[in-house]
């Protein structure tokens, strides 16, 4: 494992976006299929599903969905007839349609703090937050919900509380949001950026959106590894 190349993966998503959880499962499957050929470093990057929905306001998700995408879409969501459910169930995830829509800024700040502890802790926190929001219908803007999540993954409670309101972290979250929407042109979540880590090759980052199948992600990883081998032989 020590001599394997490292592929860096930026996962751009939001803790209140259901597709983020489905896309995360696709990514995990791809990594599992390729773990004998490469090492992987995953980092969370922030983007807001709805940048207008800020502050302590909450709204039933179905009501928010109807306002954004129409009553027909909200009805299909309530009846679990959208493609989201078919793809989610196939990956072992489900979605409680009674969940609230809320500002996710605090959750993003906590995730970034977790990343300063370790990428493994960050990854476990992201997974836990997605579970408590989509399966348990909890509000990921609620400080107590977030502190419970921090405790679950072993984060310092006082540091976690400070992180949620840290102006520097809030600015970082918004900087990443603007990069995603303006520089990378992200429209659908999640969005993945894959690149080889510091090997001196000419490989350019590869980007994928939320509904890319696992096979496309594996093909991308194989392509990056092929470029790595070519660079080594040059």
């Amino acid at each position: 494992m020590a001599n394997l190349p490292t592929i860096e993966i930026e996962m751009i998503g939001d803790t209140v976006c259901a597709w983020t959880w489905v896309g995360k499962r696709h990514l995990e499957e791809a990594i599992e299929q390729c773990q004998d050929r490469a090492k992987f470093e995953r980092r969370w990057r922030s983007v807001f599903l709805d940048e207008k929905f800020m502050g302590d306001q909450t709204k039933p998700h179905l009501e928010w969905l109807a306002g954004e995408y129409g009553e027909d879409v909200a009805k299909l969501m309530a009846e679990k007839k959208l493609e989201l459910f078919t793809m989610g169930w196939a990956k072992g995830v489900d979605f409680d349609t009674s969940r609230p829509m809320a500002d996710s800024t605090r959750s993003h700040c906590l995730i970034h703090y977790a990343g300063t502890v370790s990428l493994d802790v960050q990854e476990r926190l992201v997974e836990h937050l997605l579970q408590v929001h989509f399966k348990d219908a909890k509000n990921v803007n609620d400080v107590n919900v977030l502190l419970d999540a921090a405790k679950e993954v072993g984060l310092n409670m006082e540091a976690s509380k400070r992180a949620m309101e840290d102006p520097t972290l809030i600015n970082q979250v918004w900087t990443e949001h603007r990069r995603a929407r303006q520089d990378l042109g992200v429209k659908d979540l999640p969005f993945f950026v894959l690149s080889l880590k510091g090997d001196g090759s000419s490989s350019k980052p590869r980007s994928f959106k939320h509904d890319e199948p696992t096979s496309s992600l594996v093909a991308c990883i194989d392509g990056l590894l092929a470029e790595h081998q070519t660079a080594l032989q040059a």
Side-chain angles (χ1 to χ4, degrees):
M1 288 288 290
N3 295 322
L4 292 178
T6 298
I7 292 178
E8 295 182 311
I9 301 173
E10 294 180 84
M11 179 173 172
I12 302 171
D14 195 356
T15 52
V16 296
C17 171
W19 279 109
T20 292
W21 204 10
V22 176
K24 184 173 180 290
R25 286 291 182 269
H26 288 164
L27 178 63
E28 290 165 350
E29 289 180 355
I31 289 174
E32 184 176 359
Q33 292 181 32
C34 300
Q35 61 185 352
D36 61 333
R37 305 195 295 281
K39 295 182 288 185
F40 296 89
E41 289 185 4
R42 283 184 281 177
R43 286 179 171 79
W44 177 267
R45 302 299 187 195
S46 299
V47 67
F48 293 113
L49 177 63
D50 183 355
E51 66 179 63
K52 306 183 301 298
F53 206 91
M54 294 288 123
D56 289 325
Q57 63 174 319
T58 60
K59 182 182 290 187
H61 177 74
L62 293 177
E63 182 182 333
W64 172 84
L65 194 69
E68 291 293 318
Y69 299 101
E71 294 287 348
D72 289 345
V73 173
K75 184 174 185 294
L76 290 172
M77 174 69 80
E79 296 172 351
K80 296 194 173 186
K81 292 181 178 180
L82 293 175
E83 182 186 24
L84 168 71
F85 292 97
T86 305
M87 295 183 69
W89 293 333
K91 303 303 177 184
V93 300
D94 199 0
F95 309 96
D96 188 326
T97 58
S98 70
R99 66 187 183 273
M101 180 62 181
D103 177 9
S104 55
T105 304
R106 289 186 182 123
S107 67
H108 284 294
C109 289
L110 185 61
I111 290 169
H112 282 297
Y113 161 60
T116 67
V117 176
S118 79
L119 293 181
D120 176 66
V121 172
Q122 184 182 71
E123 163 60 24
R124 289 190 288 117
L125 179 63
V126 169
E127 179 65 25
H128 184 77
L129 290 174
L130 293 173
Q131 288 191 28
V132 299
H133 181 61
F134 293 110
K135 289 183 67 175
D136 303 332
K138 293 185 178 180
N139 179 358
V140 290
N141 190 46
D142 185 283
V143 171
N144 291 325
V145 170
L146 292 170
L147 287 176
D148 286 345
K151 183 177 180 180
E152 181 70 23
V153 300
L155 290 173
N156 178 278
M157 292 294 95
E158 287 303 315
S160 296
K161 187 179 291 187
R162 289 194 301 271
M164 293 179 213
E165 310 295 341
D166 186 330
T168 299
L169 288 179
I170 293 172
N171 183 63
Q172 180 182 345
V173 167
W174 277 99
T175 297
E176 291 186 359
H177 171 77
R178 288 188 290 269
R179 171 184 176 249
R181 295 299 195 188
Q182 298 172 13
D183 299 342
L184 298 177
V186 173
K187 295 181 179 179
D188 299 312
L189 309 183
F191 191 85
F192 307 112
V193 180
L194 291 78
S195 57
L196 283 164
K197 181 178 181 179
D199 68 339
S201 77
S202 60
S203 174
K204 295 182 179 180
R206 309 290 178 84
S207 302
F208 288 92
K209 61 181 184 177
H210 72 288
D211 56 357
E212 291 283 350
T214 300
S215 58
S216 292
L217 291 166
V218 171
C220 172
I221 291 168
D222 285 339
L224 288 171
L225 295 177
E227 291 180 11
H228 173 70
Q229 287 300 315
T230 299
L232 289 178
Q233 295 167 7

